[in-house]
Amino acid sequence: AVVIASDDALLADDLADLFSTPNFRVFTSKDVVGVEIGGAVKNVIALAAGMCEGLGLGTNAMSGLVTRGCAEMRRLGLALGARPSTLAGLS
């Protein structure tokens, strides 16, 4: 699944219809900043999680990293004008 973010809801809906298939779901959002922040920061968290796994740091370290990473993503998003609900979901 992916998210198309645009201030233009009609454009986002048209693009979602164009790219959606029975096996590929496309969601839309008007929160462009939130989708950009969530999409970028989640990749950084994923890289760090892979490093935790590779270093054998265990599930507690991974849990702490993901929890703090999500909290920092939310703080950054709010500071830049994103909606909290966008950062809590698929973005």
Side-chain angles (χ1 to χ4, degrees), residues 46-59 61-62 65:
L47 284 170
M51 290 177 202
C52 279
E53 179 71 23
L55 291 170
L57 298 179
T59 55
M62 176 95 63
L65 172 91

Side-chain angles (χ1 to χ4, degrees), residues 64-81:
L65 172 91
V66 171
T67 300
R68 289 305 316 150
C70 289
E72 293 300 321
M73 177 174 60
R74 183 176 182 275
R75 288 181 61 209
L76 177 62
L78 292 176
L80 295 174

Side-chain angles (χ1 to χ4, degrees), residues 1-69:
V2 296
V3 178
I4 294 176
S6 176
D7 291 326
D8 184 342
L10 292 175
L11 174 63
D13 288 340
D14 286 345
L15 290 171
D17 291 341
L18 179 67
F19 291 113
S20 290
T21 71
N23 298 319
F24 187 71
R25 181 81 189 263
V26 179
F27 297 93
T28 62
S29 174
K30 292 184 90 175
D31 184 9
V32 176
V33 172
V35 171
E36 289 175 342
I37 296 295
V41 175
K42 67 143 173 86
N43 290 329
V44 175
I45 295 169
L47 284 170
M51 290 177 202
C52 279
E53 179 71 23
L55 291 170
L57 298 179
T59 55
N60 284 339
M62 176 95 63
S63 300
L65 172 91
V66 171
T67 300
R68 289 305 316 150

